[in-house]
Structure formats: structure tokens, C-alpha cells
Amino acid sequence: MHPTTDNRPALLLAMGPGVDDRLFTEAHRARLAALTRTDPRLVAHDLTAPDARTAAALAEAELLLTCWGATPLTAEVLDRAPRLRAVVHAAGSVKHHVTDACWERGLRVTSAAAANALPVAEYTLAAILFAGKRVLRSAQRYAELRTDHAWLEESTGWGNHRRTVGIVGASRIGRRVIDLLAPFDFEILLYDPYVETPPPGTELVGLDELCARSTVVSVHAPQLPSTYRMIGAAQLAAMPDGTTLINTSRGSLVDEPSLLPHLLTGRLHAILDVTDPELPPPGSPLYTLPNVLLTPHVAGSLGNELHRMAEQAVGEVERYVRGEAFAEEVRASDLTRSA
């Protein structure tokens, strides 16, 4: 009797401490164990100085399944992984850990950015609808008054009927927001310099025109040198009084020093899930302004939404094992204009 050869590819999990417990269900771990040769409880937190067990697993790995906190895959790290063929990232951007060395060695890369786009788009949809109804302001006023009030008189100009929404960036998230807005009675403007044919139901315009015509401006462009503070002083000044600026992308895309005066006077409103810096200083007025809703970068996947990213990543592992193309392959050229 000859021993049975196990031809399944070896897989190693690589991510920050505790991330795997939030990311995977037991069903996900069981699927990975069935598809690959892996220890679903071995998670590499540091590939730059791995312990003996992790180093042995890395040396055998044909697949790395990564998530937040993964070690950057430098040439030195890749030298310890001579059999590595693909990186499956169970989160959004791969820019934090996929280096030039990965592309030089011909590694295939895939990410769960599409799965992570949905909760961001859902957050944005809720923000747009609440902005039109002035939910934040009316809740504050209700708490102050605690009595009957002439809400119809105060609410002139509120509402979502035929409101103009400007979407900055036809990214995965931006397009998902446009899809979610389709059932509602909005006029949708889109700015994206790489788009020639806009999605159905949208009007493609320049950035300045979008800001001047929109009563809600939602930012979904990637963080690139070319997008730094793209919503600047001129764009903010062009926004009509009462416009709500929503940013779920990166704080650096908005010129916050130019935005603050508009917020302090109450001329503009803002819903900010990201800021620059990422954590505003303790004395920042963003925490207390009545026309600002500030959230701690929670629009993306959290809680049970992480399981959606795990599901997509495990599906990509399954495609690899079957010899199929990745459904969401990432190429080096994509990163010059995406997150």
C-alpha cells in the first residue's frame, strides 16, 4: 500500500491578532480545511520574524489568506515563501501589504473589496436619506423643546423629493450607492474623470458643477496623490447653503481647514466617517457641532458583516483550487486609480 498523495495547495492565514476570530465562522474554517492543507488555527501575525512553526508553514504555502494587520509582503518575506502563488485578501484595499515584489514575482492577488463596498454604500444611503429629512437637526430640536411644535413651518426645504445628489467617484462603492439610490426620487450627478459613459439614471458633470448643483455631495474617490483635498475651498464655497457633505472615503480628500468655517457658521452640514487626521484632536469642533455627524470609521464591514468578506475570500480559494480565474482579481495597474 502506497500512502495517498495530498495534492491540495497549502494555505496560511496571515492577519492581525484576533482578526481571524471575528472574520471566520467555524463553517468557513471547515471549508478551508477541506479545500487546502492548512491549520485553520495557525495565524501568522508577523512574517518578518516568524517562529519555527510559522516559518515552516510559510515555506510550504501556495496561498496566503490575509486580512487587516497583515505583514507587508516584502522581497525578504517572499524569500521565505518560495512556493507562494497567490494572495487572497479578505478585506478591501491590498495596498497596505501587497508590494512591488509581489507583482515582480508574478503572484496572483484577489480582494474582498466588492464585499466591503456594500456596507459602506448602505451607510451612505442612510446618510443621504437622513440628510434630506434633517433627522439630526430635528432630533436635537425635539430634545431641546420637549413639547408640541410647528414642525411643518420649520421644515420648509427639507425632504428627499427630487433632491440632487452628487456622487464623487464611480468606484465600487460609488456605483453601489448609485444602484441603491435607483428606487428613490433623486436627481443623481456623477463626477469621475475616468468615466465616459455614466451609469443609467446619472448625469456626468465636472466636479465644480456637481458641487454647485447638489444638495448632498458624497465622496467615494480613492486616496491618491491626485485626489488629495479634491474637495477644496472652491468646491466648498460653490455648494448651496444647507448642502450636506458625506465622506466615507478618506479624510485627506476633503480640505478640512476650508470646510470648518462653513460648518461653524452652519452654512453647510457634514456626515463624516473619516477625517484628516483619522482621529480628530480632542478639542476639534467636529465632535460637538450640531450640524455634524461624526462616526469613527464604521461605514465599512464590522460585526457580522466581516463574514461576508470571509465568504468571498473562501470562494476565491475554492476557485483557485478548481483551477479557475479569480472572480475579483487585482492587478498592479488597477492600483494607480483605485483604493
Side-chain angles (χ1 to χ4, degrees):
M1 294 283 297
H2 296 287
T4 301
T5 301
D6 189 344
N7 292 320
R8 295 175 301 163
L11 177 144
L12 175 63
L13 303 179
M15 57 197 69
V19 173
D20 64 302
D21 289 330
R22 296 191 292 273
L23 181 68
F24 297 118
T25 64
E26 288 305 313
H28 291 136
R29 293 186 192 272
R31 283 177 64 193
L32 288 175
L35 289 165
T36 65
R37 290 183 289 117
T38 185
D39 178 350
R41 293 296 176 183
L42 174 62
V43 182
H45 304 314
D46 182 6
L47 295 176
T48 59
D51 59 28
R53 185 181 173 206
T54 301
L58 180 60
E60 291 294 320
E62 186 173 334
L63 290 161
L64 275 184
L65 200 165
T66 61
C67 193
W68 298 315
T71 301
L73 301 176
T74 62
E76 292 74 16
V77 169
L78 295 177
D79 284 342
R80 299 189 182 97
R83 301 185 180 186
L84 189 63
R85 297 293 178 267
V87 179
V88 177
H89 190 51
S93 176
V94 301
K95 287 184 177 180
H96 304 292
H97 68 300
V98 172
T99 69
D100 289 344
C102 296
W103 307 117
E104 291 165 3
R105 299 191 185 204
L107 297 186
R108 295 171 59 193
V109 178
T110 179
S111 102
N116 191 48
L118 179 55
V120 182
E122 291 171 341
Y123 175 106
T124 304
L125 173 63
I128 291 169
L129 295 175
F130 269 34
K133 295 288 283 188
R134 290 287 185 258
V135 167
L136 181 61
R137 175 59 180 159
S138 60
Q140 291 166 340
R141 286 282 285 150
Y142 197 23
E144 293 166 1
L145 297 171
R146 305 189 185 197
T147 186
D148 290 336
H149 183 65
W151 293 108
L152 286 177
E153 296 176 13
E154 187 167 327
S155 63
T156 300
W158 297 9
N160 286 310
H161 178 63
R162 304 301 298 161
R163 190 168 291 278
T164 302
V165 176
I167 302 297
V168 179
S171 59
R172 280 188 180 91
I173 297 169
R175 289 177 180 273
R176 205 70 186 258
V177 172
I178 290 170
D179 290 343
L180 292 179
L181 289 173
F184 299 93
D185 194 11
F186 289 113
E187 178 183 3
I188 304 173
L189 307 180
L190 173 66
Y191 166 73
D192 191 309
Y194 297 102
V195 171
E196 296 181 359
T197 303
T202 66
E203 179 184 351
L204 195 62
V205 297
L207 181 59
D208 291 349
E209 181 180 350
L210 180 146
C211 291
R213 289 175 54 187
S214 300
T215 51
V216 176
V217 174
S218 192
V219 181
H220 302 288
Q223 180 175 258
L224 302 168
S226 60
T227 61
Y228 179 73
R229 293 189 173 180
M230 65 185 301
I231 307 297
Q235 289 73 35
L236 293 163
M239 294 179 188
D241 291 355
T243 295
T244 297
L245 174 67
I246 301 170
N247 190 6
T248 57
S249 180
R250 288 293 185 268
S252 64
L253 275 64
V254 174
D255 182 353
E256 278 187 24
S258 295
L259 173 63
L260 272 173
H262 295 282
L263 298 177
L264 289 167
T265 62
R267 195 186 81 79
L268 298 180
H269 304 259
I271 298 174
L272 304 175
D273 189 53
V274 288
T275 53
D276 187 20
E278 181 75 18
L279 179 65
S284 171
L286 296 177
Y287 290 113
T288 55
L289 280 171
N291 52 326
V292 175
L293 176 61
L294 181 66
T295 56
H297 204 161
V298 297
S301 298
L302 50 75
N304 61 19
E305 293 166 340
L306 272 66
H307 300 328
R308 183 188 289 118
M309 296 195 300
E311 189 69 24
Q312 181 170 327
V314 175
E316 293 287 60
V317 171
E318 194 165 11
R319 291 181 187 91
Y320 180 91
V321 171
R322 292 198 302 253
E324 299 174 1
F326 286 136
E328 296 290 340
E329 184 143 4
V330 178
R331 294 172 177 83
S333 58
D334 298 334
L335 302 184
T336 61
R337 61 189 222 186
S338 67

